[in-house]
Amino acid sequence: MSTSYVGIDVPDPALQKATRLGMVVDQDRCIGCWSCAVACKEQQDVGIGLYWLRVLTVGGDAMDVPAGTFPALTMSYQSTNCFHCDNPPCVKACPTQATYKMPNGIVNVNYDRCIGCRYCMVACPYDNRVFNWRAPVQEPPASVTVVGETPARPKGVVEKCTFCVQRTSDGLLPRCVVACPTGARVFGDLDDPNSKVSILLRDRPSYVVFPERGTKPSLHYLIRQGPNTVGGAL
Amino acid sequence: MSTVTTDSTLAAPARGSRTMTVWIGVLIALILIGFAVWIYQMIHGLQITHMRDNVIWGVYIITFMFFVGLSAGGLIVASAGRLFNVERFTPIVRLAVVEATVTIATAALLIIPDLGHAGRIYNLFFHPHWLSPMIWDLTVILVYLVLSLLYLWLYMRRDLAARGSWMALGTKDTSDKARAHDHHLTYTLAWIALPAAVLVHSITAWIFGLQISRGFWYSAIMPPLFISSALVSGLALVTILAFIVRRSGRVSFGDELGGFLGGLLAVFLAVEAFLVLCEVLAGYYPGIPTDAVHQLFTGRYAPGFGVEIVVGLVIPFVLMARAALRRQPRFVVTASVLALIGIFVHRANLIVIGLGKDPITLPPGTPLGTPQANGSSFATSSVYFPSVWEFLVVLGIVGLSALLFTLAIKYLPLKEKSPT
């Protein structure tokens, strides 16, 4: 049983019945604070140097730097974790079936099966998988955060976002969704037309990354519609 | 006649045996050092390499591809020679099959240090995923290894029986009739060995060429390009080895065979150059500045591409295109060495450029897996050069390959008698 956050974690039976779990990230709401990334590291005991979730800047050539010349500046954030593709190239590539697609749409990793060949990382067009080049180092140690929810990973295996499989199988939201201070991350069943994610995707223009590669990602970005230039905002 | 081979094996020149002792000693030292470094890597993880999450594969995989190519090229040349009855090949056909067998075994070994969790390698056999090109490759390499061992044994078993070696495995008949029978069997097996050699390297190419995630690799030209690289490097290595082994008297052929091999090398080099042109032009022509193909001409890897073209293709081709130079063994060997270097650099370029350019270039980029000296854990691109440890592991395995080859030359009957 997962640790529950009182007042926030309310089990939702719909998540347990889902056939295609997916996520929608609202670029109008995302402020690029990395709370999701930090919560993810804590929840999943991700080692130093590894990230299951990172917040990419769509704009200039460095983090948090907009594109353009003042006042016509544009910037948005593309917070990125595993896209849990419907046609996952990593699952095809894995020679030992260590990475696999679950019936609810989650692409999961069996850390006891992985031989560390890193072919899945080669196959992923999104760089969403990370490798334990050394025995994972946690700071603060895993023992002072959430204990025992995530299987420990040895050195030499690949890991990545699992949509917090331990929490979602209990009907709880992934930790990054809970942690987001602006409600930019929305989670639900893409196959359910009445789920919040499906409604948002119907109502708002959205995109997925590299649609031409046919991977069919389950993580969609709602395109920024608000004033996107400083001049416009002022 | 069969006693002649026994004599040539036993009567090694005294001066040569001392060199041989030193050579074998050096190889054993390399093997032990490489093995120790591999143990060190098992303890500390792959962090001792310079591979990271943005350059996922390095010199282990580059050398793996290179050795699969050496093997496929050697066996294609040997079996095509047998299949089309190119009698001129006969003196070195066994040598070529030995080369193919030793290099494929080496290639299989080179995968092991690349694995993060090598102790679980049995999962490849217990839980194979048949959609993965890596499983296709494992299967074909194992089949191919058995096939080339069988092929080698068929070539030699009558000679082994004649000298009473246990390696004859019960074969006793050394009559001319039995030899003629085996000669026919090698012809039959050549029909299987040739396509198998083509397949083994095509599947290695598909490990890369089927991945839509890497634009530099995702191309239908990968298998033909790999085969042509294999032909160049395999023929070059067989040529070099043939001239080295000839000095010990364990194979004998005239310089005109060198000329023939040199001419063949020139043809293979021309095909390789053509396929490289096809690949580069198709990437370059649309003029997409972010395409990885541009890294061949500008940036850190550009000198490598220069070496690949000038040292690996142009110079050996110019040398071997001239009949006067082809007749001189030193030029044939020089051209072969240059071609080998060129193909190795070609394969290194393929890996580091194919992986080094991140699919997602948005800042801050890809988490690297370990904190970097500048305090960041991210990078949008990266360059790769192997660490000393990686070099030592590779040297150890290549040393083992050289030792196997040395022993094979020492103990196997390499002289092929033309059936008359």
Side-chain angles (χ1 to χ4, degrees), chain B residues 3 18 66 89 102 123 136 147 161 175 178 183 194 201 204 209 262 274 289 302 316 335 337 344 400 408:
Chain B
T3 50
R18 178 160 183 190
F66 184 66
F89 271 136
V102 169
N123 282 342
W136 309 345
L147 199 65
S175 65
H183 190 66
L194 178 61
H201 214 35
T204 306
F274 170 67
V337 170
F344 188 85
L400 180 62

Side-chain angles (χ1 to χ4, degrees), chain A residues 54 56 127, chain B residues 53-54 358 360 362 364-368 377-380:
Chain A
R54 64 202 196 274
L56 300 169
D127 289 343
Chain B
D53 284 347
N54 51 354
D358 283 309
I360 293 184
L362 299 174
T366 306
L368 292 174
S377 295
F378 292 92
T380 46

Side-chain angles (χ1 to χ4, degrees), chain B residues 370-391:
Chain B
T370 54
Q372 301 303 295
N374 65 3
S376 173
S377 295
F378 292 92
T380 46
S381 71
S382 181
V383 288
Y384 166 82
F385 193 79
S387 72
V388 174
W389 306 117
E390 287 173 270
F391 272 124

Side-chain angles (χ1 to χ4, degrees), chain B residues 193-329:
Chain B
L194 178 61
V198 172
L199 199 61
V200 77
H201 214 35
S202 300
I203 291 180
T204 306
W206 284 326
I207 287 183
F208 308 93
L210 294 182
Q211 293 308 332
I212 199 170
S213 56
R214 312 283 157 175
F216 194 59
W217 294 346
Y218 185 65
S219 151
I221 207 168
M222 289 294 263
L225 184 60
F226 269 54
I227 298 291
S228 88
S229 303
L231 287 172
V232 170
S233 59
L235 178 69
L237 184 62
V238 168
T239 307
I240 296 165
L241 293 172
F243 279 111
I244 293 174
V245 176
R246 187 174 72 161
R247 298 176 66 167
S248 73
R250 288 191 172 86
V251 293
S252 60
F253 55 90
D255 286 353
E256 72 283 355
L257 177 62
F260 178 67
L261 295 174
L264 202 53
L265 184 67
V267 174
F268 289 165
L269 284 167
V271 174
E272 168 84 6
F274 170 67
L275 291 178
V276 169
L277 174 72
C278 291
E279 185 205 23
V280 171
L281 188 62
Y284 195 77
Y285 184 80
I288 303 163
T290 52
D291 195 292
V293 76
H294 292 274
Q295 294 188 41
L296 294 172
F297 304 103
T298 54
R300 184 181 158 132
Y301 298 126
F305 188 61
V307 170
E308 177 189 333
I309 296 299
V310 178
V311 177
L313 290 174
V314 175
I315 297 178
F317 179 79
V318 169
L319 289 177
M320 287 302 98
R322 302 191 52 172
L325 299 183
R326 282 206 299 273
R327 278 194 287 272
Q328 302 179 48

Side-chain angles (χ1 to χ4, degrees), chain B residues 7-21:
Chain B
D7 289 345
S8 71
T9 310
L10 295 175
R15 192 174 56 84
S17 64
R18 178 160 183 190
T19 321
M20 185 61 87
T21 312

